[in-house]
Amino acid sequence: MLFNSFIFILIFLPLAIALYFILNKYNPKLAQAYLLGMSLWFYGYQTPEYLIIIIASIIVNYLLTYIMRRSSDKKIRLSLLILGLILNVANIGYYKYLNFIKWNINTLFGTDFAINSIVLPLGISFYTIQQISFLVDSYKNSNLKYNFLEYALFVTYFPQLVAGPICYHSEIIPQFEDDNKKRINSSNLFIGLTWFITGLAKKVFIADILGNGVNYAFDNLELLGSLDIWITSLAYTFQIYFDFSGYSDMACGIAKMFNFDLPQNFNSPYKALSIRDFWKRWHMTLTRFLTTYIYFPLGGNRVGAFKAVINTLIVFLVSGIWHGANFTFILWGLLHGILLLVGRYTKTITSKIPKIFRWFGTFMIVNVLWLLFRASGISDWIFMVKKMFHFDKAELSHELLSNFDSAVSPLLVIALSILICIALPNNYVRTRKHNTFSAVIYAALLVLCIMTLNRVSIFLYFNF
Amino acid sequence: MKKQLTVFFISVLLFTCIIMSITIYMDPFFHYHAPLKGYYYSLDNERSQNFGITTFWDYDTIITGSSLTQNYHTTEFDEMFDTRSIKLPFSGATFKETADIFKRAYDTGHDLKIVFRSFDVNHLVEDSDYVRTDLGEYPEYLYNDIWWDDFPYVVNIDILTDYCIPMIRKRLTHKPGGHTSFNDYMFGEFIPASFAGREALPIDNNTVKFTVGDSEILTDNLEKNVLSIAREHPETTFIFFIPPYNIMWWRDHAVKGELPYVCNVMKRATVLLLECDNIKLYCFAGRTDLTTNLSLYEDEYHYISELNGDILSSIKNNECLLTKENYIKYFDELENYYKNYDYVTLVNNVNTADE
């Protein structure tokens, strides 16, 4: 089910919230079970077959951690951890990477492995790493004693299930148990609604409009001049931000309506002054996971300069692979890693550069690398980058502009996006005072968003 | 925050009601009522508007079918056949889609004098329930009388900005009311096509078979979407015409070994239709003076709109009518003609002319 659908907004969400709080009055365990049931409905709504995969994955992971907790033998615990890691990686590997691996083997060795179409289950990358974090924590700490219902709800809790934020059990499960959060709270309900509506508006009025032009551009690369590619790159840079951060806002807003706090996922990433800074601000929960569960266990930067470089590159390689089974993602990850390292080792020089230039340089690097992220192949990206700097045509293609299919000029949408990203504080920093007028404005914005839902759209981060 | 919450929910309700009221009142897709006097209705969305037009408009004849009927002039038709027609074509129409229109017309109390439609051969061997979901989201909520699934229509930004607001603007600037004329509601401007680029291939003699399974699908499709309706309504004359697909259409089938298949499909359909006395089937596939003149066509199917008048005149004069007596000979001659056509020379000539 999509957040931006009639069924979700008009039926699912009101039903989920209302019955959850009603059931909490009588039986909190029943309320949790209900929330688990609703989350499974949310997940299996479009493709019920996905439920088998997620339920099997939850049962296997829970059983492994259950046995792990009961055992004091270190070897057994370690074996169970390794088994769990292998099973989780094999699960995601089968659905996400098998065809990519086969294709590479076929290309390299002239073999003929059949490339079958495998449909990627929704959100598998997100719930897999969430379960891996639980597995590792259970190995380290045998006092984690959650029951199956709590664990299953932690993995499937619908606001964060398909596109994050990537939560840790320690920040979610205690909230399920907190008696203070079991009653409806009008303040949280209203704040949650405003976050949800803000996220929906970001998605509908900015990301989707920019996405129309971006889709056309990537389907017609040969027809584009250099100015077109600059506009396409900016459009995609803002599309992916407003799309993903819009989704995160909605997820956090929905959780807030249940009185739960999800971790912050974005902190004005396009205000970053370096690539390192960018990764502290972009998809923060993924960076946190990769740092905690890969970078630190490898030794981080406390194992010598050379190993620190390798560790950083490993983290970014994993990040690239996690984002998708294509060399474009791998190269995108590695380039980010390399540029982060360059920034780290030239810090004494770059820190003397005025902030505005540092910001501009960082933004341009991120912008050009997003093209690689979106391109269907590395050659397409090279073609676009070359063309970007050819400056062959001084005018924008009419076809590109018209394909944005927007009532206002796409250039205005991009300008507005820059303004929002650069000049405005984000949701977490801003302290809003809500009054009656803002309630009316949010109501109007929600109705306006609902009116656009007949144009169906898909969230970009669902397939990662 | 309780106050803000209350204001929020009341405002959402109020704004939604306002938007719904505007759409229901203006009703640009005629889902609730006939067009209002004084407002101008643009007809530009067949799959969303045809069903509503069928329900609420006043008429005694329907012109429907695929894009091949989009260019017919209702005024010309009405003059020839003394009718009050409406034109309800669907791009790439399936038989199910046109059948839904006929059924709706009868269900809403319309006495149909004539149903005129293109008999699209390419959609005959197709599931009887198939509708064109590949052309965009099918607006199912406009095809039923269930009020609670209308939300995507009554709270829809496109309906408000592309239809209701322009209608209100025209009304306020005193532009006359009415609707897009069915004569102006067309497939598009005629752009002569280039048919160059094909390979000069001979006919493939490894012919594709018209199987018993194909025959069953065709029979089921026609039975559910044409014959049962025609039998139920003997008062209506159903005039169908097989369009004059051009010689390249025939060539493309011939080089793939599909010629006997295509002729068998037409023949089987004809046998079934001729069982109903109120169905008249005209076939223009044999009008080789038209089909071999590529300058009349903008692709393998679509021809200049002027030919529509000729087709109507022929029908009026009962020319090209298939009967129980003539259809076997007709299709034998048709297959023979297109089987023996020199497609290699045709393709070479077209390719040379294009250089």
Side-chain angles (χ1 to χ4, degrees), chain A residues 260-394:
Chain A
F260 302 141
D261 293 311
L262 297 185
Q264 185 180 357
N265 220 10
F266 291 90
N267 183 16
S268 305
Y270 294 151
K271 287 179 185 168
L273 299 178
S274 66
I275 293 297
R276 188 161 179 258
D277 190 19
F278 174 76
W279 280 103
K280 283 181 178 175
R281 294 161 172 269
W282 177 272
H283 204 173
M284 293 154 73
T285 56
L286 176 67
T287 308
R288 181 180 72 165
F289 172 84
L290 294 173
T291 308
T292 311
Y293 292 95
I294 297 180
Y295 189 65
F296 289 160
L298 288 172
N301 57 2
R302 287 174 300 178
V303 283
F306 179 71
K307 264 200 108 182
V309 168
I310 298 297
N311 291 346
T312 304
L313 290 178
I314 290 172
V315 165
F316 277 92
L317 179 67
V318 172
S319 170
I321 293 171
W322 181 84
H323 276 92
N326 192 325
F327 283 115
T328 51
F329 295 113
I330 294 172
L331 183 61
W332 171 81
L334 282 175
L335 286 174
H336 264 283
I338 291 166
L339 289 164
L340 181 138
L341 289 168
V342 170
R344 185 189 289 170
Y345 291 108
T346 56
K347 203 175 166 187
T348 45
I349 306 164
T350 52
S351 60
K352 289 172 191 160
I353 299 171
K355 272 188 177 179
I356 179 82
F357 294 118
R358 275 191 281 156
W359 167 79
F360 185 73
T362 307
F363 182 77
M364 278 301 139
I365 289 168
V366 169
N367 184 48
V368 171
L369 289 182
W370 278 136
L371 282 182
L372 174 60
F373 190 88
R374 174 65 173 76
S376 52
I378 292 172
S379 57
D380 278 359
W381 176 63
I382 293 170
F383 172 83
M384 291 179 87
V385 174
K386 273 186 183 171
K387 209 159 193 185
M388 267 175 118
F389 295 97
H390 260 186
F391 301 108
D392 57 351
K393 257 202 252 173

Side-chain angles (χ1 to χ4, degrees), chain A residues 1 3 6-18 34-35 37-43 158 254 258:
Chain A
M1 200 180 293
F3 287 168
F6 287 123
I7 180 138
F8 181 82
I9 297 173
L10 302 178
I11 297 169
F12 181 89
L13 187 59
L15 199 67
I17 293 173
Y34 167 74
L35 205 49
M38 290 300 277
S39 296
L40 292 175
W41 178 28
F42 173 86
Y43 188 72
F158 73 88
I254 296 163
F258 286 92

Side-chain angles (χ1 to χ4, degrees), chain A residues 6 10 434 439 443 451 454-455, chain B residues 4 11 141 151-152 156-158:
Chain A
F6 287 123
L10 302 178
H434 294 295
M451 288 174 71
N454 218 14
R455 299 162 171 180
Chain B
Q4 278 92 328
S11 304
Y141 45 87
F151 203 75
N156 184 319
I157 193 125
D158 291 335

Side-chain angles (χ1 to χ4, degrees), chain A residues 51-104:
Chain A
L51 284 171
I52 299 167
I53 302 160
I54 194 171
I55 291 171
S57 167
I58 290 169
I59 292 172
V60 169
N61 276 290
Y62 186 75
L63 275 178
L64 287 172
T65 55
Y66 182 80
I67 302 167
M68 207 187 275
R69 283 202 305 267
R70 301 208 144 204
S71 171
S72 52
D73 187 330
K74 264 201 159 184
K75 275 186 187 171
I76 293 175
R77 292 168 62 80
L78 184 63
S79 308
L80 289 168
L81 171 67
I82 293 168
L83 178 66
L85 290 175
I86 290 171
L87 289 175
N88 278 295
V89 172
N91 186 33
I92 193 172
Y94 173 76
Y95 288 104
K96 196 162 177 173
Y97 303 107
L98 185 63
N99 277 341
F100 179 61
I101 294 165
K102 279 185 187 173
W103 181 84
N104 280 302

